[in-house]
Amino acid sequence: IVAILLRVYVSKMGNNFDYGSWKIVGSIIDNGKNVYEETSRYNYGPVWALMLGFFKKISLLFFNDLLIYRLLIIFSLSLADIVIAIWLYEYIGILSILWFLFNPVSIYTSGFHNQFDNISIAIALYSFKLIEKYRSRLPGYLLLGLSLIVKHIFLFFPLWLFISAKNIRQRLLSLIPLLLFFISFLPFLSSQKVFLNILH
């Protein structure tokens, strides 16, 4: 609770270019338009855009919609931080939770900067756990694909999985995350312009 409140507190310092982009993206999705056609200020997979559209729709139910919109973004990012902290606790110990949740960089990134790398990272960490610890490859690769669709931070990790695969089945499975990433754009391919925007 304290970690979340700290993230809310630093948001009172103002905002930056990214949050301005999130306001634009949220409105585009809420109005039922194609984010890859309407703005050049969104360079990621569709998951975060859809989340912003959902947050925008909820926020419009309230009088101070911009405050609610920002709080929903911060709470979602804080939840991702908590998920990462739990993963760190399992692998490192209790102090890692305190170090990560109360690290000024984590607080600033989620509370002020409002950048959503941590959502992608949280999903990817649990995909690694499924793949490496539990040898549950298919669910792990599907989860890694979701991580890429949120934000393509680990875009080259499937290549490492492909190279380190021990048989043809594992090599084929390692292609799933990239396949899901590319498929996620298909519903938005309404014109050649959109295709070129996504490619760019």
Side-chain angles (χ1 to χ4, degrees):
I1 292 171
V2 173
I4 293 171
L5 290 176
L6 284 172
R7 284 154 174 76
V8 172
Y9 177 75
V10 298
S11 72
K12 303 300 180 185
M13 295 165 56
N15 58 73
N16 60 9
F17 183 83
D18 285 322
Y19 176 66
S21 298
W22 304 158
K23 288 195 289 185
I24 292 169
V25 171
S27 295
I28 289 170
I29 296 296
D30 182 53
N31 291 323
K33 295 180 179 178
N34 189 338
V35 68
Y36 299 109
E37 187 172 20
E38 299 292 326
T39 182
S40 60
R41 291 177 64 168
Y42 188 77
N43 310 310
Y44 316 103
V47 169
W48 180 241
L50 295 173
M51 288 176 66
L52 291 174
F54 178 68
F55 295 157
K56 185 67 177 176
K57 195 172 290 293
I58 292 175
S59 69
L60 291 173
L61 300 174
F62 297 86
F63 175 72
N64 195 339
D65 60 299
L66 286 178
L67 173 64
I68 299 299
Y69 185 64
R70 186 104 189 258
L71 287 175
L72 287 170
I73 290 172
I74 293 169
F75 287 148
S76 67
L77 299 178
S78 299
L79 180 61
D81 282 340
I82 291 168
V83 169
I84 293 172
I86 292 169
W87 187 92
L88 288 170
Y89 168 69
E90 291 177 4
Y91 280 84
I92 301 171
I94 190 73
L95 288 178
S96 62
I97 291 181
L98 298 175
W99 174 252
F100 181 73
L101 288 181
F102 294 95
N103 185 308
V105 175
S106 299
I107 294 169
Y108 179 82
T109 301
S110 296
F112 177 84
H113 190 48
N114 299 146
Q115 193 46 264
F116 62 103
D117 300 58
N118 58 349
I119 297 177
S120 176
I121 292 169
I123 296 169
L125 288 175
Y126 281 89
S127 77
F128 302 161
K129 184 176 179 180
L130 287 172
I131 294 167
E132 297 298 326
K133 185 175 181 180
Y134 295 110
R135 304 295 177 191
S136 186
R137 295 188 181 277
L138 181 58
Y141 291 140
L142 291 172
L143 211 55
L144 182 57
L146 177 59
S147 170
L148 295 182
I149 296 169
V150 172
K151 190 170 186 179
H152 46 286
I153 299 170
F154 297 97
L155 188 63
F156 296 105
F157 187 68
L159 178 62
W160 180 84
L161 292 172
F162 183 85
I163 293 169
S164 64
K166 297 175 181 176
N167 53 55
I168 294 174
R169 180 179 177 275
Q170 287 183 14
R171 284 196 176 91
L172 290 174
L173 285 172
S174 69
L175 298 175
I176 289 174
L178 290 175
L179 185 62
L180 290 175
F181 176 66
F182 292 121
I183 288 174
S184 71
F185 293 103
L186 291 180
F188 299 89
L189 290 177
S190 56
S191 67
Q192 184 179 5
K193 176 190 173 185
V194 172
F195 172 77
L196 293 174
N197 287 345
I198 291 173
L199 188 63
H200 177 70

